[in-house]
Short mmCIF file of all heavy atoms in Angstrom, two decimals:
data_model
loop_
_atom_site.label_atom_id
_atom_site.label_comp_id
_atom_site.label_asym_id
_atom_site.label_seq_id
_atom_site.Cartn_x
_atom_site.Cartn_y
_atom_site.Cartn_z
N MET A 18 -9.02 -13.98 -14.11
CA MET A 18 -10.43 -14.57 -14.55
C MET A 18 -10.54 -14.49 -16.03
O MET A 18 -10.35 -13.50 -16.78
CB MET A 18 -11.54 -13.61 -13.95
CG MET A 18 -11.45 -13.54 -12.43
SD MET A 18 -12.47 -14.93 -11.73
CE MET A 18 -13.92 -14.17 -11.23
N LYS A 19 -11.00 -15.63 -16.61
CA LYS A 19 -11.21 -15.75 -17.92
C LYS A 19 -12.75 -16.20 -18.22
O LYS A 19 -13.21 -17.04 -17.58
CB LYS A 19 -10.35 -16.85 -18.54
CG LYS A 19 -8.89 -16.42 -18.62
CD LYS A 19 -8.62 -15.78 -19.89
CE LYS A 19 -7.14 -15.53 -20.12
NZ LYS A 19 -6.97 -14.42 -21.19
N PHE A 20 -13.30 -15.56 -19.20
CA PHE A 20 -14.63 -16.04 -19.65
C PHE A 20 -14.40 -16.80 -20.91
O PHE A 20 -13.63 -16.30 -21.81
CB PHE A 20 -15.51 -14.79 -20.04
CG PHE A 20 -15.87 -13.86 -18.79
CD1 PHE A 20 -14.94 -12.89 -18.38
CD2 PHE A 20 -17.00 -14.14 -18.01
CE1 PHE A 20 -15.35 -12.13 -17.27
CE2 PHE A 20 -17.26 -13.49 -16.91
CZ PHE A 20 -16.45 -12.43 -16.53
N SER A 21 -15.04 -18.00 -21.01
CA SER A 21 -14.87 -18.75 -22.21
C SER A 21 -16.26 -19.39 -22.64
O SER A 21 -17.18 -19.58 -21.79
CB SER A 21 -13.83 -19.87 -21.98
OG SER A 21 -14.29 -20.69 -20.95
N LEU A 22 -16.29 -19.65 -23.94
CA LEU A 22 -17.46 -20.26 -24.44
C LEU A 22 -17.14 -21.17 -25.54
O LEU A 22 -16.25 -20.90 -26.30
CB LEU A 22 -18.40 -19.23 -25.04
CG LEU A 22 -19.67 -19.84 -25.71
CD1 LEU A 22 -20.78 -20.02 -24.68
CD2 LEU A 22 -20.10 -18.94 -26.75
N SER A 23 -17.64 -22.48 -25.48
CA SER A 23 -17.60 -23.45 -26.56
C SER A 23 -18.77 -23.26 -27.43
O SER A 23 -19.87 -23.47 -26.94
CB SER A 23 -17.41 -24.84 -26.01
OG SER A 23 -16.26 -25.00 -25.36
N CYS A 24 -18.64 -22.87 -28.61
CA CYS A 24 -19.73 -22.73 -29.52
C CYS A 24 -20.63 -23.98 -29.60
O CYS A 24 -21.78 -23.91 -29.65
CB CYS A 24 -19.26 -22.17 -30.88
SG CYS A 24 -20.71 -21.78 -31.96
N GLY A 25 -19.83 -25.15 -29.52
CA GLY A 25 -20.64 -26.44 -29.58
C GLY A 25 -21.70 -26.53 -28.46
O GLY A 25 -22.61 -27.41 -28.64
N ASP A 26 -21.57 -25.88 -27.37
CA ASP A 26 -22.59 -25.90 -26.33
C ASP A 26 -23.88 -25.25 -26.76
O ASP A 26 -24.88 -25.48 -26.26
CB ASP A 26 -22.12 -25.22 -25.02
CG ASP A 26 -20.98 -26.07 -24.35
OD1 ASP A 26 -20.83 -27.30 -24.76
OD2 ASP A 26 -20.27 -25.53 -23.61
N VAL A 27 -23.78 -24.42 -27.82
CA VAL A 27 -24.88 -23.70 -28.27
C VAL A 27 -25.38 -24.14 -29.53
O VAL A 27 -26.52 -24.39 -29.87
CB VAL A 27 -24.67 -22.13 -28.33
CG1 VAL A 27 -25.79 -21.32 -28.94
CG2 VAL A 27 -24.13 -21.56 -27.09
N VAL A 28 -24.39 -24.40 -30.57
CA VAL A 28 -24.66 -25.01 -31.78
C VAL A 28 -23.90 -26.33 -31.80
O VAL A 28 -22.67 -26.36 -32.02
CB VAL A 28 -24.07 -24.04 -32.85
CG1 VAL A 28 -24.37 -24.62 -34.29
CG2 VAL A 28 -24.64 -22.66 -32.83
N PRO A 29 -24.69 -27.39 -31.69
CA PRO A 29 -24.05 -28.74 -31.70
C PRO A 29 -23.14 -29.06 -32.90
O PRO A 29 -23.57 -28.70 -33.99
CB PRO A 29 -25.30 -29.71 -31.60
CG PRO A 29 -26.32 -28.87 -31.02
CD PRO A 29 -26.07 -27.42 -31.52
N GLY A 30 -21.99 -29.51 -32.67
CA GLY A 30 -21.13 -29.84 -33.73
C GLY A 30 -20.07 -28.81 -34.08
O GLY A 30 -19.04 -29.19 -34.71
N CYS A 31 -20.25 -27.59 -33.56
CA CYS A 31 -19.27 -26.55 -33.88
C CYS A 31 -18.13 -26.65 -32.79
O CYS A 31 -18.37 -26.89 -31.64
CB CYS A 31 -19.88 -25.21 -33.76
SG CYS A 31 -18.70 -23.86 -34.28
N VAL A 32 -16.86 -26.58 -33.31
CA VAL A 32 -15.68 -26.81 -32.40
C VAL A 32 -15.03 -25.52 -31.97
O VAL A 32 -14.04 -25.42 -31.33
CB VAL A 32 -14.63 -27.75 -33.06
CG1 VAL A 32 -15.27 -29.16 -33.21
CG2 VAL A 32 -14.14 -27.18 -34.34
N ALA A 33 -15.58 -24.35 -32.42
CA ALA A 33 -14.97 -23.02 -32.10
C ALA A 33 -15.10 -22.83 -30.54
O ALA A 33 -16.00 -23.08 -29.98
CB ALA A 33 -15.72 -21.92 -32.94
N ARG A 34 -13.99 -22.19 -30.04
CA ARG A 34 -13.86 -21.78 -28.69
C ARG A 34 -13.54 -20.33 -28.67
O ARG A 34 -12.63 -19.84 -29.38
CB ARG A 34 -12.96 -22.75 -27.91
CG ARG A 34 -13.57 -23.89 -27.29
CD ARG A 34 -12.44 -24.70 -26.51
NE ARG A 34 -12.03 -23.74 -25.34
CZ ARG A 34 -12.57 -23.56 -24.22
NH1 ARG A 34 -13.69 -24.21 -23.94
NH2 ARG A 34 -12.14 -22.76 -23.33
N PHE A 35 -14.08 -19.64 -27.69
CA PHE A 35 -13.71 -18.21 -27.53
C PHE A 35 -13.35 -18.03 -25.99
O PHE A 35 -13.87 -18.64 -25.14
CB PHE A 35 -14.83 -17.34 -27.84
CG PHE A 35 -15.36 -17.62 -29.18
CD1 PHE A 35 -16.57 -18.50 -29.40
CD2 PHE A 35 -14.79 -17.17 -30.35
CE1 PHE A 35 -16.94 -18.84 -30.59
CE2 PHE A 35 -15.19 -17.49 -31.58
CZ PHE A 35 -16.34 -18.44 -31.70
N GLU A 36 -12.38 -17.13 -25.85
CA GLU A 36 -11.95 -16.84 -24.47
C GLU A 36 -11.36 -15.38 -24.39
O GLU A 36 -10.72 -14.87 -25.36
CB GLU A 36 -10.72 -17.80 -24.17
CG GLU A 36 -10.35 -17.83 -22.66
CD GLU A 36 -9.28 -18.91 -22.40
OE1 GLU A 36 -9.73 -19.98 -22.17
OE2 GLU A 36 -8.15 -18.67 -22.49
N SER A 37 -11.75 -14.81 -23.28
CA SER A 37 -11.24 -13.42 -23.06
C SER A 37 -11.42 -13.11 -21.55
O SER A 37 -12.13 -13.82 -20.86
CB SER A 37 -12.05 -12.46 -23.93
OG SER A 37 -11.64 -11.12 -23.62
N ASP A 38 -10.69 -12.06 -21.11
CA ASP A 38 -10.92 -11.68 -19.80
C ASP A 38 -12.11 -10.68 -19.62
O ASP A 38 -12.41 -10.24 -18.59
CB ASP A 38 -9.66 -11.16 -19.11
CG ASP A 38 -8.99 -10.10 -19.96
OD1 ASP A 38 -9.59 -9.54 -20.85
OD2 ASP A 38 -7.80 -9.70 -19.64
N SER A 39 -12.64 -10.42 -20.76
CA SER A 39 -13.91 -9.56 -20.83
C SER A 39 -15.05 -10.27 -21.35
O SER A 39 -15.04 -10.92 -22.42
CB SER A 39 -13.58 -8.34 -21.72
OG SER A 39 -14.90 -7.82 -22.17
N ARG A 40 -16.11 -10.35 -20.58
CA ARG A 40 -17.31 -11.10 -20.96
C ARG A 40 -17.89 -10.53 -22.21
O ARG A 40 -18.35 -11.18 -23.10
CB ARG A 40 -18.35 -10.93 -19.81
CG ARG A 40 -19.55 -11.82 -19.91
CD ARG A 40 -20.27 -11.81 -18.56
NE ARG A 40 -21.58 -12.40 -18.67
CZ ARG A 40 -22.68 -11.92 -19.21
NH1 ARG A 40 -22.65 -10.62 -19.69
NH2 ARG A 40 -23.84 -12.55 -19.28
N ASP A 41 -17.96 -9.13 -22.31
CA ASP A 41 -18.43 -8.46 -23.51
C ASP A 41 -17.56 -8.87 -24.72
O ASP A 41 -18.11 -8.88 -25.79
CB ASP A 41 -18.41 -7.00 -23.30
CG ASP A 41 -19.54 -6.52 -22.38
OD1 ASP A 41 -20.42 -7.25 -22.07
OD2 ASP A 41 -19.50 -5.33 -22.03
N ASP A 42 -16.28 -9.12 -24.54
CA ASP A 42 -15.45 -9.44 -25.60
C ASP A 42 -15.79 -10.68 -26.12
O ASP A 42 -15.80 -11.00 -27.29
CB ASP A 42 -13.99 -9.34 -25.13
CG ASP A 42 -12.93 -9.37 -26.34
OD1 ASP A 42 -13.32 -8.73 -27.43
OD2 ASP A 42 -11.91 -10.04 -26.23
N VAL A 43 -16.04 -11.66 -25.19
CA VAL A 43 -16.48 -13.01 -25.65
C VAL A 43 -17.73 -12.91 -26.41
O VAL A 43 -17.84 -13.60 -27.48
CB VAL A 43 -16.66 -13.99 -24.43
CG1 VAL A 43 -17.31 -15.29 -24.86
CG2 VAL A 43 -15.31 -14.26 -23.73
N LEU A 44 -18.65 -12.26 -25.90
CA LEU A 44 -19.99 -12.01 -26.68
C LEU A 44 -19.76 -11.52 -28.00
O LEU A 44 -20.40 -11.88 -29.00
CB LEU A 44 -20.95 -11.16 -25.86
CG LEU A 44 -21.54 -11.84 -24.68
CD1 LEU A 44 -22.41 -10.70 -23.86
CD2 LEU A 44 -22.39 -12.91 -25.05
N GLY A 45 -18.87 -10.52 -28.13
CA GLY A 45 -18.52 -9.90 -29.48
C GLY A 45 -17.90 -10.91 -30.47
O GLY A 45 -18.30 -10.95 -31.57
N GLN A 46 -16.97 -11.81 -29.93
CA GLN A 46 -16.34 -12.78 -30.76
C GLN A 46 -17.36 -13.79 -31.16
O GLN A 46 -17.43 -14.22 -32.36
CB GLN A 46 -15.23 -13.56 -29.97
CG GLN A 46 -14.11 -12.75 -29.59
CD GLN A 46 -13.09 -13.46 -28.81
OE1 GLN A 46 -12.76 -14.61 -29.10
NE2 GLN A 46 -12.64 -12.88 -27.69
N VAL A 47 -18.28 -14.18 -30.28
CA VAL A 47 -19.28 -15.09 -30.64
C VAL A 47 -20.19 -14.60 -31.64
O VAL A 47 -20.56 -15.21 -32.72
CB VAL A 47 -20.13 -15.55 -29.35
CG1 VAL A 47 -21.33 -16.38 -29.70
CG2 VAL A 47 -19.27 -16.35 -28.34
N GLY A 48 -20.55 -13.34 -31.47
CA GLY A 48 -21.47 -12.74 -32.43
C GLY A 48 -20.91 -12.62 -33.85
O GLY A 48 -21.54 -13.02 -34.82
N ALA A 49 -19.57 -12.27 -33.93
CA ALA A 49 -18.99 -12.26 -35.21
C ALA A 49 -18.83 -13.75 -35.91
O ALA A 49 -19.02 -13.81 -37.00
CB ALA A 49 -17.51 -11.64 -35.10
N HIS A 50 -18.62 -14.60 -34.97
CA HIS A 50 -18.49 -16.00 -35.46
C HIS A 50 -19.85 -16.46 -35.93
O HIS A 50 -19.84 -17.19 -36.99
CB HIS A 50 -17.90 -16.87 -34.30
CG HIS A 50 -18.04 -18.29 -34.48
ND1 HIS A 50 -17.14 -19.10 -35.34
CD2 HIS A 50 -18.94 -19.23 -34.03
CE1 HIS A 50 -17.48 -20.32 -35.31
NE2 HIS A 50 -18.66 -20.46 -34.62
N ALA A 51 -20.87 -16.25 -35.19
CA ALA A 51 -22.23 -16.69 -35.55
C ALA A 51 -22.63 -16.10 -36.87
O ALA A 51 -23.25 -16.83 -37.63
CB ALA A 51 -23.24 -16.22 -34.37
N VAL A 52 -22.25 -14.86 -37.13
CA VAL A 52 -22.66 -14.27 -38.39
C VAL A 52 -21.89 -14.97 -39.58
O VAL A 52 -22.36 -15.27 -40.57
CB VAL A 52 -22.37 -12.72 -38.40
CG1 VAL A 52 -22.43 -12.17 -39.83
CG2 VAL A 52 -23.29 -12.05 -37.45
N ALA A 53 -20.47 -15.15 -39.36
CA ALA A 53 -19.59 -15.64 -40.44
C ALA A 53 -19.82 -17.15 -40.74
O ALA A 53 -19.75 -17.50 -41.83
CB ALA A 53 -18.19 -15.32 -39.98
N HIS A 54 -20.07 -17.84 -39.57
CA HIS A 54 -20.07 -19.46 -39.80
C HIS A 54 -21.48 -19.98 -39.60
O HIS A 54 -21.55 -21.24 -40.01
CB HIS A 54 -19.07 -20.00 -38.70
CG HIS A 54 -17.71 -19.59 -38.97
ND1 HIS A 54 -16.81 -20.35 -39.81
CD2 HIS A 54 -16.98 -18.49 -38.57
CE1 HIS A 54 -15.63 -19.72 -39.84
NE2 HIS A 54 -15.71 -18.66 -39.19
N HIS A 55 -22.35 -19.35 -39.05
CA HIS A 55 -23.61 -20.03 -38.84
C HIS A 55 -24.84 -19.29 -39.54
O HIS A 55 -25.95 -19.55 -39.32
CB HIS A 55 -23.97 -20.07 -37.30
CG HIS A 55 -22.90 -21.04 -36.65
ND1 HIS A 55 -22.68 -22.28 -37.00
CD2 HIS A 55 -22.08 -20.73 -35.70
CE1 HIS A 55 -21.67 -22.76 -36.24
NE2 HIS A 55 -21.36 -21.77 -35.38
N GLY A 56 -24.45 -18.16 -40.25
CA GLY A 56 -25.55 -17.51 -40.98
C GLY A 56 -26.55 -16.82 -40.13
O GLY A 56 -27.64 -16.45 -40.54
N ILE A 57 -26.11 -16.57 -38.82
CA ILE A 57 -27.04 -15.84 -37.95
C ILE A 57 -26.75 -14.36 -38.07
O ILE A 57 -25.61 -13.94 -37.97
CB ILE A 57 -26.81 -16.23 -36.45
CG1 ILE A 57 -27.14 -17.74 -36.28
CG2 ILE A 57 -27.51 -15.38 -35.49
CD1 ILE A 57 -26.75 -18.25 -34.96
N THR A 58 -27.73 -13.66 -38.60
CA THR A 58 -27.61 -12.14 -38.82
C THR A 58 -27.86 -11.36 -37.68
O THR A 58 -27.55 -10.20 -37.62
CB THR A 58 -28.45 -11.71 -40.02
OG1 THR A 58 -29.78 -12.03 -39.75
CG2 THR A 58 -27.97 -12.42 -41.27
N GLU A 59 -28.53 -11.93 -36.61
CA GLU A 59 -28.91 -11.07 -35.47
C GLU A 59 -28.91 -12.05 -34.36
O GLU A 59 -29.44 -13.13 -34.35
CB GLU A 59 -30.33 -10.53 -35.80
CG GLU A 59 -30.84 -9.80 -34.65
CD GLU A 59 -32.30 -9.38 -34.94
OE1 GLU A 59 -33.00 -10.02 -35.83
OE2 GLU A 59 -32.83 -8.54 -34.29
N LEU A 60 -28.31 -11.52 -33.16
CA LEU A 60 -28.38 -12.32 -31.93
C LEU A 60 -29.73 -11.97 -31.28
O LEU A 60 -29.83 -10.99 -30.53
CB LEU A 60 -27.19 -11.97 -31.07
CG LEU A 60 -25.85 -12.48 -31.45
CD1 LEU A 60 -24.72 -12.15 -30.41
CD2 LEU A 60 -25.90 -14.00 -31.69
N THR A 61 -30.63 -12.82 -31.45
CA THR A 61 -31.90 -12.51 -30.85
C THR A 61 -31.90 -12.80 -29.36
O THR A 61 -30.86 -13.45 -28.79
CB THR A 61 -32.96 -13.58 -31.40
OG1 THR A 61 -32.57 -14.92 -30.99
CG2 THR A 61 -33.03 -13.50 -32.92
N PRO A 62 -32.78 -12.36 -28.60
CA PRO A 62 -32.73 -12.53 -27.06
C PRO A 62 -32.57 -14.02 -26.77
O PRO A 62 -31.91 -14.33 -25.73
CB PRO A 62 -34.09 -11.95 -26.55
CG PRO A 62 -34.43 -10.88 -27.64
CD PRO A 62 -33.84 -11.48 -28.96
N ASP A 63 -33.23 -14.85 -27.44
CA ASP A 63 -33.21 -16.36 -27.19
C ASP A 63 -31.75 -16.91 -27.33
O ASP A 63 -31.24 -17.56 -26.56
CB ASP A 63 -34.19 -17.03 -28.11
CG ASP A 63 -35.55 -17.23 -27.59
OD1 ASP A 63 -35.80 -16.71 -26.43
OD2 ASP A 63 -36.39 -17.77 -28.19
N VAL A 64 -31.22 -16.48 -28.46
CA VAL A 64 -29.79 -16.96 -28.81
C VAL A 64 -28.84 -16.36 -27.69
O VAL A 64 -27.94 -17.06 -27.20
CB VAL A 64 -29.35 -16.48 -30.15
CG1 VAL A 64 -27.89 -16.76 -30.46
CG2 VAL A 64 -30.22 -17.17 -31.26
N LEU A 65 -29.07 -15.09 -27.46
CA LEU A 65 -28.17 -14.38 -26.47
C LEU A 65 -28.29 -15.08 -25.11
O LEU A 65 -27.24 -15.29 -24.45
CB LEU A 65 -28.54 -12.92 -26.38
CG LEU A 65 -27.48 -11.97 -25.84
CD1 LEU A 65 -26.19 -12.06 -26.66
CD2 LEU A 65 -28.03 -10.59 -25.92
N ARG A 66 -29.44 -15.46 -24.76
CA ARG A 66 -29.69 -16.01 -23.42
C ARG A 66 -28.96 -17.37 -23.38
O ARG A 66 -28.33 -17.69 -22.41
CB ARG A 66 -31.12 -16.25 -23.18
CG ARG A 66 -31.41 -16.32 -21.67
CD ARG A 66 -32.93 -16.05 -21.35
NE ARG A 66 -33.87 -16.36 -22.42
CZ ARG A 66 -34.73 -15.40 -22.99
NH1 ARG A 66 -34.61 -14.20 -22.49
NH2 ARG A 66 -35.56 -15.69 -23.97
N SER A 67 -29.15 -18.14 -24.52
CA SER A 67 -28.41 -19.44 -24.61
C SER A 67 -26.90 -19.30 -24.55
O SER A 67 -26.19 -20.01 -23.84
CB SER A 67 -28.78 -20.12 -25.95
OG SER A 67 -28.25 -21.36 -26.01
N VAL A 68 -26.34 -18.31 -25.31
CA VAL A 68 -24.94 -18.01 -25.27
C VAL A 68 -24.47 -17.60 -23.80
O VAL A 68 -23.51 -18.17 -23.26
CB VAL A 68 -24.52 -16.98 -26.25
CG1 VAL A 68 -23.16 -16.36 -26.03
CG2 VAL A 68 -24.80 -17.42 -27.67
N GLU A 69 -25.21 -16.75 -23.29
CA GLU A 69 -24.74 -16.24 -21.91
C GLU A 69 -24.76 -17.32 -20.88
O GLU A 69 -23.92 -17.40 -20.05
CB GLU A 69 -25.72 -15.04 -21.48
CG GLU A 69 -25.41 -13.83 -22.26
CD GLU A 69 -26.29 -12.73 -21.85
OE1 GLU A 69 -27.44 -12.91 -21.50
OE2 GLU A 69 -25.85 -11.56 -21.86
N SER A 70 -25.70 -18.23 -21.01
CA SER A 70 -25.85 -19.24 -20.03
C SER A 70 -24.72 -20.35 -20.15
O SER A 70 -24.55 -21.12 -19.31
CB SER A 70 -27.20 -19.98 -19.98
OG SER A 70 -27.40 -20.77 -21.21
N ASN A 71 -24.09 -20.29 -21.38
CA ASN A 71 -23.05 -21.35 -21.58
C ASN A 71 -21.55 -20.72 -21.35
O ASN A 71 -20.58 -21.37 -21.62
CB ASN A 71 -23.17 -21.78 -23.02
CG ASN A 71 -24.22 -22.95 -23.01
OD1 ASN A 71 -24.11 -24.03 -22.47
ND2 ASN A 71 -25.37 -22.71 -23.70
N ILE A 72 -21.52 -19.35 -21.06
CA ILE A 72 -20.27 -18.77 -20.80
C ILE A 72 -19.77 -19.25 -19.42
O ILE A 72 -20.42 -19.25 -18.47
CB ILE A 72 -20.30 -17.24 -20.72
CG1 ILE A 72 -20.56 -16.80 -22.18
CG2 ILE A 72 -18.97 -16.65 -20.27
CD1 ILE A 72 -20.72 -15.25 -22.28
N ALA A 73 -18.50 -19.86 -19.52
CA ALA A 73 -17.88 -20.41 -18.38
C ALA A 73 -16.84 -19.42 -17.74
O ALA A 73 -16.21 -18.67 -18.52
CB ALA A 73 -17.23 -21.71 -18.70
N LEU A 74 -16.67 -19.36 -16.54
CA LEU A 74 -15.77 -18.46 -15.87
C LEU A 74 -14.61 -19.24 -15.21
O LEU A 74 -14.96 -20.21 -14.45
CB LEU A 74 -16.53 -17.66 -14.85
CG LEU A 74 -15.79 -16.47 -14.16
CD1 LEU A 74 -15.20 -15.55 -15.14
CD2 LEU A 74 -16.64 -15.73 -13.20
N SER A 75 -13.36 -19.02 -15.50
CA SER A 75 -12.35 -19.76 -14.88
C SER A 75 -11.27 -18.77 -14.39
O SER A 75 -11.11 -17.68 -14.94
CB SER A 75 -11.73 -20.79 -15.87
OG SER A 75 -11.24 -20.10 -16.95
N ALA A 76 -10.57 -19.14 -13.41
CA ALA A 76 -9.56 -18.34 -12.80
C ALA A 76 -8.30 -18.21 -13.64
O ALA A 76 -8.05 -19.09 -14.42
CB ALA A 76 -9.10 -18.84 -11.41
ZN1 ZN B 18 -19.89 -22.02 -34.12
#
């Protein structure tokens, strides 16, 4: 099982993709990427909800 997220699903135009077998790990990668590349200093509940709803699960 792999959890994956395309940042572009949350931030239109971004081509970054994250994948891990740990959902928390994907969230951690996204958080670091958001800070470094999108100037987001804090994952607010709204952002987090958007990110979580776009995480895809594949076998
Ligand atoms: Zn991005």
